[in-house]
Amino acid sequence: MDNHKYPAKFVNFRPSDFQKGKVPSPVPGVAKWEYNHRKAIIQHITNLKHQLQEIYESYVPVVRKTLKHHDSSYPIVIYMKKLAKSHRPDGILKCLDSEVIAVHALGKLVVGMTEDSLAKFIQLINDLIQEIPITRDEWVTQKLDKSGTWRDAIVPGKERDFEWIHELTSIDYVKEYSPNEVLEAMSSHDMQDCKTDGEFKIRFFQYDNDTDHIVRNQFNQIFNLYESDIRPLSYASGFSSYVVPFVNEETIHQMAAFPGVESITSFTRFRVNSSAIAESRTFLEAIQPEVGKSYPKVAIVDSGIGKDNNHISPWVEERDIYVPFNRQDNYHGEFVGGLLLYAHHANPTLKNIVDTGVKILDVVVLPAESLESIREDELIDALDTALEKYAKEYRVWNLSLGSSRLCSGVISEFTASIDILQDTYNVNFVIAAGNFVELRQAGPVTSEDENDRICLPADSIRAITVGSIALNHDDTNLVKQGEAAPYSRRGPGIGLSIKPDVVHYSGNPRNFPIQSINSNGAIVEDYGTSFSAPLVSAIMAEYYEQYPEQLSKTMAKALLIHGSKHPLTNKCIELASDHYYYGFGLPSRIQDVLYGNEHEITLVFEGKLNAKQNRNWVQISDFPFPESLKVGENKIRGEILVTLVYEPHVNPRLGSEYCRGNVDIRLRTLFEDGKYGTISKGSSAGEINQAERWEKSQMTKELKWSPSKQLSFISPQGKRGSTDLRLDLFPTWRDITDKQPIPFAIIVTIRDPKKSAPVYTDVSRSLLKAFQTNDLNLRYTPTRITNKSR
């Protein structure tokens, strides 16, 4: 139960908390080879050589006829066995004057290579085969480092060859980029959309300005296109994407075979998706907003709310209409709006919802399902226009819409634009994860059908993506109350990021739909992730309304995630298999996040890592930990939950490596031997066994590259440690060019699960000694809005 006498505290960073020096990192050892013996190494890299020769002899002559330039670059795919950048063939590519031009699925690198660089690559392998030692150990010696410690080192003179063998043995295989990959996202339905639209999207690989110009000119000549025929895609920032007129399906397949084309896709369409199960004879009385009272605000981007809807229209402050009235069907938009206002009355058992009223911006973009859909370019234009007018007043935008295009290893132009809009206008989009139409036939925990992955735009890295859990159940239902609904699309998102971010309740397909109201105030029933999203939008809007200071979108997301728990266990979610169905869990209202009790306190930090300002990394020494949770001389007990949310620089062209920065967070304690060690577990597990430091392991166990992380310390009885704690924040970047400022927010809750220690008082006293803080008292106490059934 929250208590306003125990508010969370905003803790200001001290100048000494930001560190100027080099970001701490493990001392790099000598690279491991995938194969340690000469015979296995030769067999593997000989196979690679044969694959390169096949490309050189069969693929290159064909594409040379198309591009007609000897020094043209061709897209070559390198599949890696491991994902870490340290395993990439960067040294070899540098020698070949080649570079990675795209990253698709995890470990799938697309490299631009010329005919000469391919020949040089083959010769490099031939030369290297002659130098390979009997075993790797022949080229490894020992030397003293600066600290006087003996470490493995490469035998002098063998450094280059040693690294090249490491890189080659890390490659799985090599092939040319095929037309099938260009058309990977094109189904027969998408092909029909191209025909209907009379145009489609084509994305070219990006090499350098001169090469790109040659490729596009040659493309236009071959397909008889004038500059007026092929126009740049206006919202495709970071891509070389164009709109091309549709001629016929055969021409699309010919274009897919053109070297330099990365993808061909139809324009993604968004439609109203709802079941409209039943309308009851139960009516709710309309509730009117109180004059002069302040309410949370949500922009609903949907099918609209009718002006004659006496139950919802009084709460609509503004309307921004992009669909003519004669092409509207307001059912879906009114169901969403009804959940913002009447969910607690229509669903008496519904928990963790805002029941105090919400003011609405009605952005009408979705036409009637029976008439048409909205295309992605039209939706982007509408959003951009509406955001320009209303973003300062409405910080939360609910998008209960979805598409049939699944999240993959490639970032779409649409998703990249969605992220740009959120950054440009400083808003949070709350997006439905999408519905798996076929419904799962087995329990969601064991279902691994790739066809039920989240779909566009739920893969937006900046947005809050919402999945669904069942509100109720009986023996006829596949899942029980609180379990992931059988239609709720799952993660992971791009690059194994956590998606959905959170979940909320919606209907169970058989017998237990969620209830809202229609235009007459009658209770109607439905189910879908469309109806979980507005419940989360209301919670986030209440954060903006009630937070005592100006709330950033980074902090809003951090608060949402920090207050989220597994809907079945009410504990933090740690397993990747659970994250991909539940995200970080079911979120809480702001008073449950920021108000504690005498045995619990929450601390809030916000800042920005910026190397140009010598804010390279963070170490908060003398971190406030209560003496009352000390057990003897060398033990501490209690619970600590830490949530980190940050906004890394992104590069949409690099697909599964879209997020270009990672921030690792560690909670460490001083042990009796005088050394600091990690005591936390969760998304940042601390020091990992070197044999397990594979990138995929880090991405699933530590959420590496994921912009939201949690870690925890849980020990009711006590574990080895002391009250001398440090909180560390370590950034890393994929490339030096990605070293951009990173805004971040940290939420820390310290509690005594036994409810005996005076945690709030102890930590408050410690803060007074070393930190400047402010109490985060909510602006006012929310009042539940009420009505009567008739």
Side-chain angles (χ1 to χ4, degrees):
M1 188 64 131
D2 66 90
N3 191 329
H4 67 277
K5 292 188 295 184
Y6 300 96
K9 293 183 181 291
F10 185 89
V11 184
N12 293 293
F13 280 109
R14 305 161 297 185
S16 60
D17 294 329
F18 285 97
Q19 309 301 312
K20 300 178 181 179
K22 187 178 179 181
V23 177
S25 60
V27 177
V30 175
K32 300 288 185 183
W33 295 351
E34 286 295 294
Y35 309 97
N36 288 324
H37 296 276
R38 175 181 172 84
K39 183 178 179 181
I41 295 169
I42 290 178
Q43 181 179 349
H44 176 72
I45 66 175
T46 300
N47 287 338
L48 292 181
K49 185 185 75 170
H50 292 158
Q51 292 159 15
L52 290 167
Q53 285 175 329
E54 177 66 21
I55 293 170
Y56 187 82
E57 294 168 4
S58 301
Y59 172 68
V60 169
V62 174
V63 293
R64 189 199 302 136
K65 292 178 181 178
T66 301
L67 289 182
K68 299 178 181 178
H69 291 271
H70 176 77
D71 57 351
S72 292
S73 291
Y74 309 121
I76 306 299
V77 184
I78 297 178
Y79 286 89
M80 303 299 299
K81 292 183 177 180
K82 293 184 179 179
L83 305 178
K85 184 174 172 58
S86 59
H87 294 278
R88 284 192 177 184
D90 290 338
I92 291 174
L93 293 179
K94 184 177 181 181
C95 174
L96 302 177
D97 293 322
S98 300
E99 63 177 346
V100 175
I101 55 174
V103 181
H104 287 185
L106 292 170
K108 179 182 178 181
L109 312 179
V110 186
V111 176
M113 285 193 180
T114 64
E115 190 172 340
D116 287 344
S117 62
L118 277 167
K120 191 175 180 181
F121 199 172
I122 294 167
Q123 187 59 48
L124 180 150
I125 292 176
N126 281 331
D127 294 342
L128 194 59
I129 286 175
Q130 311 304 318
E131 303 295 327
I132 294 173
I134 300 299
T135 68
R136 171 183 175 276
D137 292 342
E138 286 186 28
W139 284 4
V140 178
T141 184
Q142 292 267 305
K143 73 173 183 179
L144 282 171
D145 65 11
K146 294 180 181 179
S147 66
T149 303
W150 286 97
R151 297 189 183 279
D152 285 347
I154 302 169
V155 170
K158 297 296 183 182
E159 291 87 354
R160 188 198 66 177
D161 289 351
F162 189 99
E163 185 59 32
W164 283 0
I165 293 173
H166 163 60
E167 292 178 358
L168 287 171
T169 58
S170 297
I171 295 173
D172 195 4
Y173 64 97
V174 183
K175 62 182 284 291
E176 71 275 10
Y177 192 76
S178 70
N180 287 338
E181 290 164 294
V182 176
L183 296 173
E184 189 172 15
M186 285 281 279
S187 65
S188 58
H189 180 77
D190 295 321
M191 198 69 77
Q192 183 58 45
D193 280 345
C194 295
K195 184 176 181 180
T196 302
D197 289 343
E199 58 187 12
F200 56 91
K201 296 184 300 177
I202 188 164
R203 184 193 299 181
F204 293 95
F205 288 112
Q206 291 177 271
Y207 302 100
D208 56 62
N209 290 335
D210 291 338
T211 303
D212 294 344
H213 184 71
I214 291 170
V215 168
R216 287 197 295 274
N217 277 350
Q218 194 64 27
F219 180 86
N220 291 349
Q221 288 179 27
I222 290 174
F223 295 103
N224 298 316
L225 295 170
Y226 296 100
E227 288 297 325
S228 57
D229 294 326
I230 177 169
R231 67 182 190 276
L233 194 63
S234 59
Y235 52 91
S237 178
F239 297 108
S240 181
S241 297
Y242 295 82
V243 181
V244 178
F246 177 85
V247 178
N248 53 47
E249 190 171 332
E250 182 183 356
T251 302
I252 286 182
H253 284 280
Q254 291 170 352
M255 289 178 173
F258 183 89
V261 172
E262 181 176 4
S263 66
I264 295 176
T265 56
S266 64
F267 283 89
T268 304
R269 291 184 172 276
F270 298 89
R271 295 174 173 84
V272 172
N273 291 311
S274 57
S275 303
I277 297 172
E279 176 181 334
S280 76
R281 295 182 179 180
T282 302
F283 292 81
L284 297 179
E285 287 189 357
I287 306 173
Q288 302 294 323
E290 293 183 28
V291 177
K293 185 176 180 180
S294 181
Y295 293 94
K297 294 183 175 183
V298 174
I300 300 178
V301 182
D302 214 287
S303 66
I305 295 165
K307 288 185 177 181
D308 296 330
N309 187 320
N310 296 325
H311 288 70
I312 306 176
S313 282
W315 296 86
V316 177
E317 289 200 318
E318 304 280 355
R319 297 180 192 271
D320 204 21
I321 300 172
Y322 298 90
V323 180
F325 290 106
N326 63 346
R327 304 192 73 81
Q328 291 182 21
D329 179 346
N330 302 134
Y331 167 81
H332 193 270
E334 290 180 337
F335 200 107
V336 169
L339 285 171
L340 289 179
L341 297 165
Y342 297 91
H344 56 301
H345 289 294
N347 308 273
T349 63
L350 198 54
K351 298 178 290 187
N352 292 50
I353 60 170
V354 173
D355 54 7
T356 57
V358 176
K359 286 296 183 74
I360 295 170
L361 165 64
D362 183 22
V363 183
V364 187
V365 298
L366 293 177
E369 183 179 13
S370 60
L371 296 173
E372 55 187 317
S373 58
I374 185 171
R375 220 169 72 164
E376 63 179 83
D377 50 344
E378 299 167 331
L379 181 54
I380 289 292
D381 287 345
L383 280 170
D384 197 9
T385 302
L387 285 161
E388 188 174 8
K389 290 187 282 187
Y390 299 109
K392 289 183 180 179
E393 190 173 357
Y394 293 86
R395 301 288 302 282
V396 179
W397 292 62
N398 187 87
L399 277 66
S400 288
L401 45 81
S403 69
S404 59
R405 187 150 286 152
L406 301 182
C407 170
S408 67
V410 179
I411 286 288
S412 68
E413 294 91 353
F414 180 77
T415 295
S417 297
I418 286 289
D419 283 341
I420 290 171
L421 287 175
Q422 290 173 90
D423 286 344
T424 301
Y425 293 104
N426 195 28
V427 297
N428 296 106
F429 285 173
V430 179
I431 301 176
N435 299 329
F436 184 46
V437 179
E438 286 79 10
L439 299 182
R440 299 185 186 92
Q441 300 303 314
V445 176
T446 58
S447 175
E448 293 296 338
D449 185 352
E450 284 299 295
N451 288 323
D452 72 349
R453 290 277 299 278
I454 58 169
C455 47
L456 273 60
D459 56 342
S460 162
I461 206 75
R462 298 285 197 242
I464 308 294
T465 300
V466 183
S468 287
I469 52 177
L471 179 57
N472 287 303
H473 75 279
D474 62 15
D475 292 341
T476 67
N477 295 117
L478 174 66
V479 300
K480 297 178 181 180
Q481 180 181 11
E483 291 182 341
Y487 52 80
S488 184
R489 289 190 171 275
R490 65 171 178 87
I494 192 75
L496 296 184
S497 60
I498 300 302
K499 288 290 174 180
D501 296 274
V502 294
V503 291
H504 217 300
Y505 293 101
S506 184
N508 224 343
R510 297 188 182 95
N511 303 330
F512 291 101
I514 195 168
Q515 297 184 329
S516 185
I517 60 169
N518 64 9
S519 57
N520 299 317
I523 289 181
V524 288
E525 301 177 337
D526 213 330
Y527 63 84
T529 55
S530 284
F531 309 130
S532 303
L535 301 178
V536 173
S537 292
I539 290 173
M540 180 163 272
E542 190 175 52
Y543 290 176
Y544 280 105
E545 172 66 20
Q546 292 281 47
Y547 194 77
E549 308 293 338
Q550 186 70 31
L551 185 62
S552 69
K553 64 185 175 76
T554 312
M555 180 62 76
K557 188 173 182 178
L559 290 169
L560 188 82
I561 288 173
H562 190 74
S564 296
K565 299 291 186 291
H566 197 299
L568 296 176
T569 65
N570 200 36
K571 294 180 179 179
C572 293
I573 295 176
E574 295 179 353
L575 297 176
S577 57
D578 284 342
H579 275 308
Y580 295 154
Y581 287 96
Y582 299 96
F584 288 92
L586 178 65
S588 304
R589 296 180 69 180
I590 190 167
Q591 61 265 32
D592 298 322
V593 180
L594 291 184
Y595 285 162
N597 55 58
E598 59 186 315
H599 311 299
E600 173 185 316
I601 191 168
T602 294
L603 311 178
V604 176
F605 303 81
E606 187 166 23
K608 183 181 290 187
L609 294 167
N610 190 340
K612 293 181 179 178
Q613 298 176 352
N614 284 323
R615 295 186 166 201
N616 295 2
W617 57 287
V618 170
Q619 183 173 91
I620 305 175
S621 301
D622 57 3
F623 189 85
F625 187 79
E627 287 288 335
S628 54
L629 292 181
K630 184 177 180 181
V631 183
E633 288 300 316
N634 301 314
K635 279 188 177 182
I636 54 174
R637 68 176 187 87
E639 294 181 3
I640 307 174
L641 175 65
V642 183
T643 299
L644 166 68
V645 171
Y646 60 97
E647 297 196 350
H649 170 60
V650 294
N651 186 335
R653 192 166 57 89
L654 296 177
S656 59
E657 297 182 2
Y658 183 47
C659 291
R660 306 301 297 168
N662 177 64
V663 180
D664 190 21
I665 188 164
R666 306 264 174 104
L667 187 64
R668 300 191 297 151
T669 186
L670 181 65
F671 292 123
E672 66 272 15
D673 59 4
K675 297 180 181 180
Y676 284 90
T678 302
I679 60 168
S680 54
K681 67 174 185 176
S683 58
S684 180
E687 287 75 25
I688 302 178
N689 211 307
Q690 190 65 30
E692 296 179 359
R693 293 198 69 88
W694 294 3
E695 189 82 349
K696 191 167 184 178
S697 175
Q698 289 180 287
M699 292 165 77
T700 53
K701 292 182 180 179
E702 300 186 26
L703 307 189
K704 187 176 183 181
W705 307 112
S706 185
S708 302
K709 294 177 169 67
Q710 279 188 334
L711 58 83
S712 61
F713 166 81
I714 302 175
S715 181
Q717 303 304 321
K719 284 185 180 179
R720 179 172 169 248
S722 70
T723 57
D724 186 343
L725 261 63
R726 288 181 175 177
L727 188 69
D728 297 333
L729 221 59
F730 300 144
T732 55
W733 291 269
R734 296 189 192 267
D735 190 83
I736 191 67
T737 59
D738 298 312
K739 209 169 185 179
Q740 305 288 334
I742 301 179
F744 67 87
I746 305 171
I747 321 285
V748 182
T749 295
I750 306 170
R751 66 168 60 93
D752 176 15
K754 295 183 177 180
K755 299 187 181 300
S756 62
V759 171
Y760 194 92
T761 300
D762 280 4
V763 173
S764 297
R765 285 174 180 167
S766 296
L767 288 169
L768 283 173
K769 294 177 183 178
F771 297 87
Q772 289 185 343
T773 66
N774 297 312
D775 287 348
L776 292 175
N777 291 298
L778 302 185
R779 288 177 179 169
Y780 59 84
T781 301
T783 306
R784 195 172 194 257
I785 56 174
T786 60
N787 68 357
K788 299 177 181 178
S789 299
R790 60 181 172 88

